[in-house]
């Protein structure tokens, strides 16, 4: 059975004390609660990763980075390599987030390299895909998502997929307060799973976790997660407050 996941993408938010408090609250919750088939991941800014991995030692919390270099090592000022992240105990890395595609010009090829670099270092990519509003309005959303997956993920061998998480994040829903309806989310998730079936077969597709992201919060999480192909969420704004993030975890 595939794992459900709730992952918090903090983006570029919180100072050190706020980050510390948020992680503490999540850890305290996890230590007092037995969760049935839900993995919890926090993806803080890189400067707080050590804080997070330190606190995630003796409990069920997993830690993800928000980005990693597509290069192995060397003269890339400001960049952070997969090897560095792995050596800090980081388990996951968000790759292909629409903000990085848009503001940092990350293209399909670079994202494929990042996916490879993550896997090479035993870090599981949380690979994001999703269409912008004009693409949805033009009825091109399935085509767009298919291309994103084909160009940056479907070069992988079947064995790699046990370490891959896919996140469908319609760009028009990210940070806007406009959530995809449960029907829209389910429709796209089922489509992605069908692509996995066609390329890799039923068993692999059944085992792959597909998250929804985009204005998912404590109010709508239950309805979204109730869909058969929605295996949890990649949560931005609503992951910054422990009460709300915890209530999303409890939506399963
Ligand atoms: P949001 O962001 O929940 O604030 O819409 C989700 C994301 O970008 O991962």
């Amino acid at each position: 059975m595939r794992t459900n996941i709730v992952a918090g993408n903090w983006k570029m938010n919180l100072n050190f004390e706020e980050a510390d408090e948020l992680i503490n609250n999540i850890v305290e919750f996890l230590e007092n609660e037995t969760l049935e088939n839900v993995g919890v991941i926090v993806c803080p800014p890189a400067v707080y990763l050590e804080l997070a991995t330190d606190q995630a030692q003796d409990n069920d919390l997993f830690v993800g980075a928000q980005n990693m270099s597509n290069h192995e090592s060397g003269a890339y000022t400001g960049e952070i390599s997969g090897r560095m992240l792995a050596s800090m105990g980081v388990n996951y890395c968000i790759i292909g987030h629409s903000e990085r595609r848009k503001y940092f010009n990350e293209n399909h090829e670079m994202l494929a390299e990042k996916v490879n670099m993550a896997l090479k270092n035993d870090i599981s990519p949380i690979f994001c895909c999703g269409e912008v509003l004009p693409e949805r309005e033009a009825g091109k959303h399935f085509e767009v998502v298919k291309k994103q997956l084909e160009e940056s993920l479907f070069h992988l061998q079947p064995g790699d997929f046990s370490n891959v998480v896919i996140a469908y994040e319609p760009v028009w829903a990210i940070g806007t307060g406009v959530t995809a309806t449960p029907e829209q989310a389910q429709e796209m998730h089922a489509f992605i799973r069908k692509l996995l079936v066609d390329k890799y077969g039923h068993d692999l597709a059944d085992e792959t976790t597909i998250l929804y992201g985009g204005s998912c919060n404590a109010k709508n999480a239950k309805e979204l997660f109730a869909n058969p192909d929605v295996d949890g969420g990649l949560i931005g704004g609503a992951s910054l407050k422990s009460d709300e993030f915890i209530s999303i975890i409890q939506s399963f």
Side-chain angles (χ1 to χ4, degrees), residues 126-193:
I126 303 174
F127 183 80
C128 303
C129 55
E131 79 286 356
V132 296
L133 190 58
E135 289 165 341
R136 177 161 280 265
E137 285 172 345
K140 292 190 170 149
H141 41 298
F142 294 117
E143 195 183 307
V144 168
V145 167
K146 184 170 186 240
K147 185 158 177 70
Q148 290 170 335
L149 294 171
E150 281 177 350
E151 298 285 328
S152 306
L153 207 59
F154 283 3
H155 62 284
L156 295 178
Q157 297 300 310
D160 295 326
F161 267 84
S162 51
N163 293 316
V164 170
V165 175
I166 296 174
Y168 169 57
E169 299 206 304
V171 182
W172 46 270
I174 296 179
T176 58
V178 182
T179 318
T181 63
E183 294 74 26
Q184 285 172 322
Q186 170 55 26
E187 188 184 32
M188 182 59 87
H189 283 230
F191 173 75
I192 294 170
R193 207 174 301 284

Side-chain angles (χ1 to χ4, degrees), residues 9 11 97-99 169 173-177 213-216 234-238:
N9 174 12
K11 311 192 180 186
H97 192 281
S98 63
E99 287 149 19
E169 299 206 304
I174 296 179
T176 58
S215 298
C216 181
L234 180 55
I235 319 295

Side-chain angles (χ1 to χ4, degrees), residues 26-45:
I26 296 166
V27 165
E28 197 181 298
F29 163 74
L30 291 175
E31 284 176 349
N32 289 306
E33 203 84 4
T34 314
L35 296 174
E36 297 271 324
N37 192 33
V38 189
V40 178
I41 308 173
V42 286
C43 303

Side-chain angles (χ1 to χ4, degrees), residues 72-169:
E72 194 99 45
S73 65
Y76 300 101
T77 301
E79 287 288 88
I80 297 174
S81 73
R83 183 162 175 262
M84 292 173 193
L85 294 174
S87 70
M88 301 302 296
V90 170
N91 320 101
Y92 291 87
C93 184
I94 299 172
I95 292 177
H97 192 281
S98 63
E99 287 149 19
R100 296 218 52 98
R101 290 178 192 260
K102 181 176 174 192
Y103 302 128
F104 302 96
N105 301 319
E106 296 195 356
N107 58 28
H108 296 310
E109 193 189 349
M110 183 191 278
L111 295 175
E113 289 169 5
K114 288 190 178 207
V115 165
N116 294 344
M117 203 53 84
L119 290 169
K120 188 174 171 187
N121 287 287
D122 289 326
I123 291 174
S124 301
I126 303 174
F127 183 80
C128 303
C129 55
E131 79 286 356
V132 296
L133 190 58
E135 289 165 341
R136 177 161 280 265
E137 285 172 345
K140 292 190 170 149
H141 41 298
F142 294 117
E143 195 183 307
V144 168
V145 167
K146 184 170 186 240
K147 185 158 177 70
Q148 290 170 335
L149 294 171
E150 281 177 350
E151 298 285 328
S152 306
L153 207 59
F154 283 3
H155 62 284
L156 295 178
Q157 297 300 310
D160 295 326
F161 267 84
S162 51
N163 293 316
V164 170
V165 175
I166 296 174
Y168 169 57
E169 299 206 304

